[in-house]
Amino acid sequence: MWWILALAACDGTADTEPGGHTGRQPQDTAEPLVVAQDVLTTDLRLDLTTLAGHATVVLLPATDARVVKLAANGLNVSSVKVNGEEVEPTWKEGIGHIPVENTGEPVTVDMDYTFSERSILQFDGWMPSQQVSFIWPDNCMNLYPCNPSPDDGVTVTMAVTGQAAGLTAVYPSTTTSDGPSYMPGIAVGDYTRLELGNTTAGTALVAWHFPGEASAARAAEGTANLVGAYDFFESTYGAYAFGPEAGTVEVNWGSDSYGGMEHHPYVHVGTFDFSDEEAQLHEAAHAWFGDGVRLECWEDFVLSEGTTTYIAARAAEEAGGLDFWPYYVDGFLKPACDGLEVNTIVLPDETCNEIDFENDDLWSLATYMKGACFYEEVGDVMGVQELDAAIADFYGVNVNESARMGEMIDTILAHADEADHAAIETLATEWLRTYECPENYAERCRSRQP
Ligand SMILES: [Zn+2]
């Protein structure tokens, strides 16, 4: 995601349930050959008038487990069936422990429920006041039964009804392939749909904007290089993973309508930033990192946001001749490094899913910018094309899977000359594993070495 102003304030509000963390599933003890529970697919039927939902979740139970676990903290569940038979789950802190006969094959769980209205202050589910859903980072359980852990990918099919007469509900009928539990999104509005064109690989790009000339003008400005950017991502890093059509949807996040959210295939971008190519390209880029390759651990957040921030700048440069680096460095890196905004070590990867992510400094723009600067300087050392080849290699190996930033660094090293290894490892230490920003950080990050 990408935000400029106060979206971060939506964590920690009094109304927010502690459910983000109680909902996270404890890891089963790691023994050899133990298969962990794996959610495979989820089909959702959601009615926005009655707030009724029906979910069909196909999941593989963990080895020898007698239950499957699904978080449903924000749901009022009326019926649970396993392979068509009514069952009685045990509920612990919002997580349903659903009894199954474990044959080692996937089971089908059907759940009837209602989901709760969430307010703009909560910002963690379906918000009728804004006609938009927002479930990042781990609030899927306010909209549908799920595993909010970032590593468990799911392919989601959806049918949404009950929007007011004359309005359009924009959502994917299928996400096509596995993404994180926060990826599915719904937006309802009096939308105009624009056909932006096709990439060379054939992905059709579309945009939905609100009525009126101002919105039309914002859409034209913000999407001017969107087809070219997708073309760059596809031809440089690999195929788009989330279907034959992708696009961007203008959403009303109230007074915080800045930035966007990577709800591929139809990303959300707030009204105030809908004209902003940086916000548009950032959310587009998340199809490759964050969604396409998802996080194994929240501690690897820089793999999503640092990589996305960097490749968005690459697309801007290649598709539009635009230079995002002054904006990145002056707008966001300097305040973090100078102490005006949060700074942090952006790769605290000694642990996995042990940090309190929603309240951790890792969820700050320091992670986006120091991560992007790491790549920018690695490109100076090994060559931008060779770094692109390393990123493509990593995407090809890990698309629709979860991965860690350390594995990305290993892939980069494997593509670099032996003579450059020490320099690249020093950059990883300076930008990713050190609190203080490197000396001359601003000049270093924004300058492309020949
Ligand atoms: Zn982002």
Side-chain angles (χ1 to χ4, degrees):
M1 73 168 305
W2 176 241
W3 78 98
I4 309 289
L5 289 181
L7 248 187
C10 67
D11 70 317
T13 53
D15 290 337
T16 304
E17 297 188 18
H21 307 291
T22 57
R24 197 163 287 150
Q25 299 186 15
Q27 297 289 314
D28 291 328
T29 47
E31 288 170 26
L33 302 177
V34 169
V35 175
Q37 173 183 309
D38 183 9
V39 177
L40 303 174
T41 61
T42 298
D43 179 68
L44 299 177
R45 310 280 133 175
L46 303 175
D47 186 318
L48 301 178
T49 300
T50 61
L51 304 183
H54 182 92
T56 304
V57 180
V58 178
L59 71 173
L60 187 66
T63 299
D64 295 335
R66 294 179 189 174
V67 296
V68 293
K69 300 173 194 173
L70 288 171
N73 304 54
L75 312 180
N76 195 343
V77 177
S78 55
S79 152
V80 180
K81 288 179 180 164
V82 174
N83 295 339
E85 301 285 332
E86 198 90 31
V87 296
E88 279 296 331
T90 305
W91 294 95
K92 296 176 186 168
E93 294 183 316
I95 298 172
H97 294 234
I98 302 163
V100 296
E101 190 182 334
N102 190 350
T103 62
E105 296 295 313
V107 298
T108 300
V109 176
D110 276 280
M111 215 179 265
D112 284 306
Y113 61 94
T114 55
F115 50 100
S116 55
E117 291 187 10
R118 312 303 288 186
S119 77
I120 194 168
L121 293 176
Q122 293 166 311
F123 224 90
D124 60 359
W126 170 249
M127 295 177 279
S129 61
Q130 314 308 121
Q131 294 287 294
V132 66
S133 66
F134 190 93
I135 53 176
W136 193 87
D138 54 5
N139 291 308
C140 50
M141 77 287 265
N142 288 335
L143 191 64
Y144 68 96
C146 62
N147 177 2
S149 218
D151 56 312
D152 193 357
V154 58
T155 301
V156 174
T157 50
M158 296 171 84
V160 176
T161 54
Q163 68 272 26
L167 300 187
T168 303
V170 180
Y171 61 90
S173 58
T174 176
T175 63
T176 302
S177 66
D178 273 11
S181 63
Y182 58 74
M183 192 172 78
I186 305 163
V188 172
D190 183 6
Y191 283 120
T192 298
R193 178 185 154 112
L194 302 176
E195 314 288 333
L196 301 174
N198 289 2
T199 65
T200 307
T203 304
L205 272 299
V206 293
W208 286 265
H209 65 79
F210 290 140
E213 280 179 28
S215 277
R218 278 195 292 269
E221 199 179 332
T223 63
N225 291 293
L226 200 61
V227 175
Y230 273 85
D231 218 355
F232 169 79
F233 294 138
E234 289 179 330
S235 60
T236 308
Y237 304 125
Y240 182 73
F242 301 112
E245 182 179 272
T248 180
V249 190
E250 182 180 8
V251 293
N252 170 14
W253 286 343
S255 58
D256 281 339
S257 291
Y258 295 94
M261 184 63 219
E262 57 263 35
H263 290 304
H264 279 277
Y266 304 134
V267 305
H268 293 180
V269 175
T271 290
F272 304 154
D273 269 347
F274 208 66
S275 59
D276 182 65
E277 291 201 85
E278 198 279 326
Q280 296 285 0
L281 268 49
H282 181 98
E283 299 315 326
H286 269 305
W288 282 263
F289 290 92
D291 288 343
V293 181
R294 59 184 184 272
L295 302 180
E296 189 166 323
C297 320
W298 288 116
E299 285 87 339
D300 296 298
F301 189 46
V302 70
L303 177 63
S304 174
E305 296 299 353
T307 313
T308 289
T309 301
Y310 175 73
I311 68 172
R314 287 285 298 124
E317 180 183 9
E318 296 288 340
L322 305 171
D323 182 2
F324 285 172
W325 290 99
Y327 178 68
Y328 288 168
V329 169
D330 297 328
F332 308 106
L333 180 66
K334 279 185 176 174
C337 294
D338 294 349
L340 298 171
E341 296 289 344
V342 171
N343 193 7
T344 188
I345 291 172
V346 303
L347 185 57
D349 61 352
E350 309 78 24
T351 60
C352 180
N353 291 328
E354 288 181 21
I355 58 168
D356 179 5
F357 177 64
E358 282 182 90
N359 297 303
D360 196 282
D361 285 347
L362 195 56
W363 184 7
S364 68
L365 287 168
T367 305
Y368 294 57
M369 295 304 147
K370 290 168 84 175
C373 293
F374 164 71
Y375 285 104
E376 199 282 335
E377 288 221 290
V378 169
D380 290 344
V381 169
M382 70 189 283
V384 171
Q385 317 297 333
E386 195 51 40
L387 176 55
D388 277 341
I391 294 170
D393 184 11
F394 186 85
Y395 176 76
V397 168
N398 294 295
V399 61
N400 299 129
E401 305 287 344
S402 65
R404 304 205 68 175
M405 185 65 186
E407 296 166 334
M408 172 66 95
I409 296 169
D410 289 344
T411 303
I412 290 169
L413 289 170
H415 277 258
D417 290 342
E418 197 85 45
D420 291 332
H421 282 203
I424 291 168
E425 280 166 352
T426 298
L427 291 173
T429 301
E430 288 182 316
W431 286 106
L432 306 179
R433 301 189 193 279
T434 305
Y435 181 92
E436 297 294 338
C437 297
E439 206 151 332
N440 300 323
Y441 63 84
E443 292 70 25
R444 283 175 51 175
C445 182
R446 91 165 104 218
S447 65
R448 170 61 47 78
Q449 305 300 320

